[in-house]
Structure formats: C-alpha cells, structure tokens
Amino acid sequence: MTSSKLSFQDMRTLGLAALGGALEFYDFVIFVFFTKTLSTLFFPADMPAWLAQLQVYGIFASGYVARPVGGVIMAHFGDLLGRKKMFTLSVLLMALPTLCIGLLPTYAQLGLLAPILLLILRVVQGIAIGGEVPAAWVFVAEHVPQNRVGFACASLTSGLTLGILLGSLMGTTIYTQLSPEAVLSYGWRIAFLVGGAFGIFAVWLRGWLKETPVFEAMKERKELNKDIPLKTVLQKHRRSVMISMLITWMLTAAILVIILMTPTLIQSQFQISAAEAFRGNNWASFALVLGCLAGGFFADKIGYAKALFIGSIILLITNYALYIDLTKGAENFILLYTIAGFTVGVVGIVPSVMVAAFPPVIRFSGLSFSYNISYAIFGAITPPFISYLSSHFGGLAPAHYVALATSVTIVISFILLRSRSNSLYNV
C-alpha cells in the first residue's frame, strides 16, 4: 500500500465500518439513557430511588465486566481466522439481546426474575462490544495507508460516538414527546426495539466489507501466529499492554462520565430538567463526533503522543469548566457541555496509539486484551462509584474523577514524547 492518500475504496470501508459501529454502539449505550426509568420498572417500588438507580448502574457496569470475555475470544480467532468474521459476529451478538430487552417483562410482571434477565442480556451485550471495538479499530487501521491510521481510527471512533448521539436523540424524543406515564408504560421499549432493528441492519452492512489487506498478506506469507496470540502478547509486549490500559482509563472516564452519565447525574444533583439535560447531551454528542475526527486529523499531522498530550490538557480544562458552571447555576450549560463534548474527541487518538503499539500478527489480541481489561475494571466501577460520590460528596466529584484519569494520560503521553523508543508509537 504505497499511496499516502485515502482511495475511494478506503473511504467506502471507513464509511461502512463507522455506520455499522454507530448502530451497534447505539444498542450498547441506550441502556444508560433510560437508567431512571429502568430503576423504577425493574426493582421493588419500596426500594429507595438512589439505591434502585445504583442497582441499574451496576447492571449497566456488568456489560463492561463481560467485555474481556468477548474481546479475548474474538481477538484470538480474529488473529487466526480473519478480522472480518469476528467484526460481523459481534454485531449479531449485540442485536439479539437489545431486541430481547425491549420485550422483557418488568418487576411487577415477573418479580425478581426480571432484573436477573436484564443482567444476563446486559452481559451478552458486553461480550459483543468487547469484540466489536478492537475489531473495528484493527480493521480500519489495516485498510488504509500508514500515515492515515490516525484519521481512520478516529473516523471509526467518531462513528461509535455517533451511536451515542443517536441514543441521546432517541432519549430526548421519547422523554419530550411522551408523558412520564407513557414512557414507563411502553416508551422505553421503543428505544430497545429500534436498537434491535439497527443491529440487524448493521449485520447486513458488514457483508459488504472485505478482509484487511494486512491479514491477507500475513496469511499468504504464512506468518500467522502459530502459538496462542494472547500468550505472545503477555510474554513480549507487557509495556504496550500497560500503556494501552492506562490511556483507555482516560477514554473510559471521559465517555462514561461526561457524555453518558452527565444527563442523569445533573437531573438529581443540579435539578436540571430531563429535557434540558438531554438537549445539552445532544449538542455534546454531536460535538464529540466532530472532535474525534479533529483529533485523528491532528494525530496524523503532529504525531500521536503530541496530539494526545495537548488534547488531554484541553479536556482537563473544559471538564472543570462544565461542572463548575453547573455548581453556580448552569447559566452556560449548553455551551460548555458542547465544548466539553468536542474536547472529549481526544479519545479518537487513543486507538491509534494502541494499534501502533502491537505488531500485526498479534495486534487484535494485544489491543483487545488491553482495552477490554481496562474497560472492565474502570467501566465497571465508574458508574456506581460516580453515582455514590455525587450523592455523598457534591457536584464536582465527577469532574475530579475525570481529571485524575486524564492526568495519568498526560503523564504517559509526555513520557512517550521523551522516550527514545517513540518510533513504535509513530510520534
């Protein structure tokens, strides 16, 4: 692949992969936009509201705990049998449980079995997304010229965040067009049933994609790993694993807290109406889509580590600006949430660093293991932890958590900039 420009075929691949990822990610995140509704429907009526919400956040977090299972298994076969097969399987595993959640009986209809089934379906969703995200990044990175990997990975991340925007728009539509009683009765089901249909459409889209040239070349030269790929990763690439896990923490904190949890948190913490909260989230999610693309563009121009360093510092500032404004009356909520959403786009640079950190023969396994283990740890603890901190220690608690994770990434990117082995990371 000698050309440094994206061909029509490259753009087509990026477009199809991003759209499919958007539809699948909608399925995964729509859960969090209906946290308050699900806490009412799937737990006893006499349970304290904060405890029911905490329980639903726990079920939401279970999807993150399950991610390594899907990630390790799909990555193993992705490194041995091909990227495309696993890329398609992950969508199917997401669509079916999303559809089932939309049809699930509530606690009033089924008793204790209702939240148990909700938990099981959420775990299957976690297995699916554990294979989807790493597969998507590896897939697009191996389809484009090397000096366009930053933009390719960012465009896919942008597609995934478009799924968040779709979920936010769906939440806004349902909450504003239906009465609270109608939302509890049937409105919430619409979001999940539509998601199931989205997932089936995404499976069809994946059929148009071709296997990556990098994998085909390795297969032709018989360079595929004859050992267990993950074993090689853990024996020879521990530094890359550690770096990837720590920068994934920043990605997790920024997406979960600023984009996904803020609409729910500010309703209870700052008495912002649901309609206003989701309106702000719509703008922030839209800005995030653009921010990811901007991050990928600059990563290719100035280097991955430098772009990650600068972007993380800016995110640190806008994160505090948003939450400080909320504590002072939220006069500039929409504007500051939009700006914060755009700066969260620094997460679009993260996959480029991880793709470059592992050689092609074990790339899928290395990236998937690092990303999913980190997401399982931090993704699982963040929702209930932030919910608890916010209710007990005040409105700035979420901002402090994001700042901590972002500071770690700032330190790592600075070390990469100073390291003589920078070439591994294309910086």
Side-chain angles (χ1 to χ4, degrees):
M1 194 176 297
T2 58
S3 173
S4 62
K5 296 182 178 180
L6 293 174
S7 66
F8 172 78
Q9 186 62 40
D10 292 334
M11 295 300 294
R12 177 177 176 273
T13 298
L14 292 180
L16 287 173
L19 180 57
L23 299 179
E24 181 169 4
F25 216 69
Y26 166 96
D27 285 2
F28 189 68
V29 303
I30 193 64
F31 193 102
V32 77
F33 292 118
F34 288 89
T35 298
K36 293 186 72 173
T37 300
L38 294 175
S39 66
T40 301
L41 293 171
F42 284 85
F43 292 94
D46 58 352
M47 179 178 286
W50 70 269
L51 180 58
Q53 183 167 311
L54 188 63
Q55 299 259 31
V56 175
Y57 272 134
I59 292 177
F60 174 74
S62 70
Y64 292 104
V65 176
R67 289 174 79 138
V69 177
V72 169
I73 294 174
M74 292 189 194
H76 174 81
F77 290 106
D79 277 332
L80 297 178
L81 303 178
R83 321 308 199 192
K84 181 185 173 180
K85 291 184 177 67
M86 299 303 106
F87 201 31
T88 303
L89 176 62
S90 66
V91 185
L92 184 61
L93 286 179
M94 179 63 75
L96 294 179
T98 304
L99 195 63
C100 289
I101 290 175
L103 300 172
L104 201 60
T106 64
Y107 185 89
Q109 298 166 319
L110 204 59
L112 187 59
L113 189 57
I116 293 175
L117 289 175
L118 184 65
L119 173 63
I120 293 172
L121 292 171
R122 184 62 184 170
V123 167
V124 178
Q125 283 188 320
I127 291 172
I129 207 71
E132 162 67 17
V133 179
W137 285 332
V138 171
F139 190 86
V140 297
E142 292 184 351
H143 265 287
V144 301
Q146 188 173 358
N147 66 337
R148 293 291 183 269
V149 168
F151 181 79
C153 288
S155 69
L156 196 285
T157 308
S158 180
L160 298 178
T161 58
L162 177 61
I164 298 176
L165 175 59
L166 292 175
S168 179
L169 288 171
M170 178 63 77
T172 302
T173 301
I174 289 175
Y175 281 120
T176 56
Q177 297 301 314
L178 298 178
S179 66
E181 294 76 18
V183 172
L184 287 171
S185 175
Y186 65 88
W188 68 276
R189 296 186 184 276
I190 296 173
F192 290 94
L193 295 176
V194 169
F198 276 174
I200 294 170
F201 179 61
V203 173
W204 178 78
L205 284 178
R206 295 281 160 89
W208 290 81
L209 296 171
K210 296 180 180 179
E211 184 57 82
T212 74
V214 172
F215 183 85
E216 293 287 12
M218 288 193 299
K219 184 177 179 181
E220 186 175 338
R221 294 194 297 264
K222 298 183 179 179
E223 294 176 351
L224 299 180
N225 201 318
K226 296 187 171 49
D227 203 346
I228 298 174
L230 183 57
K231 179 181 177 181
T232 305
V233 169
L234 297 177
Q235 286 179 341
K236 299 181 180 180
H237 301 278
R238 288 190 289 270
R239 178 175 179 267
S240 295
V241 168
M242 183 57 63
I243 289 171
S244 299
M245 288 181 66
L246 289 174
I247 62 177
T248 295
W249 180 24
M250 183 272 288
L251 181 152
T252 308
I255 293 292
L256 275 181
V257 178
I258 297 178
I259 302 299
L260 294 182
M261 294 184 67
T262 291
T264 300
L265 288 171
I266 62 177
Q267 291 178 55
S268 54
Q269 193 71 32
F270 302 105
Q271 287 71 55
I272 305 291
S273 69
E276 182 73 357
F278 279 102
R279 189 163 73 91
N281 188 258
N282 289 342
W283 283 106
S285 300
F286 176 71
L288 173 57
V289 173
L290 301 180
C292 286
L293 294 175
F297 175 81
F298 283 108
D300 284 333
K301 291 293 183 182
I302 66 175
Y304 301 164
K306 185 180 292 186
L308 190 62
F309 179 74
I310 296 172
S312 297
I313 291 175
I314 297 173
L315 172 61
L316 191 68
I317 296 169
T318 61
N319 161 56
Y320 271 121
L322 170 63
Y323 270 86
I324 289 174
D325 178 72
L326 284 167
T327 63
K328 294 184 176 181
E331 292 184 4
N332 302 296
F333 166 63
I334 299 294
L335 175 62
L336 290 174
Y337 199 8
T338 302
I339 294 172
F342 183 83
T343 61
V344 172
V346 68
V347 303
I349 304 169
V350 170
S352 307
V353 179
M354 294 194 289
V355 165
F358 299 99
V361 69
I362 50 88
R363 177 173 290 153
F364 196 168
S365 292
L367 194 158
S368 182
F369 176 81
S370 307
Y371 173 79
N372 282 307
I373 290 294
S374 182
Y375 231 126
I377 296 170
F378 298 113
I381 67 172
T382 296
F385 185 57
I386 292 296
S387 181
Y388 175 81
L389 288 179
S390 296
S391 61
H392 289 78
F393 295 99
L396 281 179
H400 294 326
Y401 179 80
V402 173
L404 177 62
T406 305
S407 297
V408 171
T409 294
I410 291 172
V411 172
I412 289 173
S413 55
F414 180 75
I415 292 173
L416 289 177
L417 279 169
R418 303 286 294 177
S419 172
R420 290 185 177 180
S421 60
N422 278 350
S423 58
L424 176 63
Y425 298 95
N426 290 344
V427 296

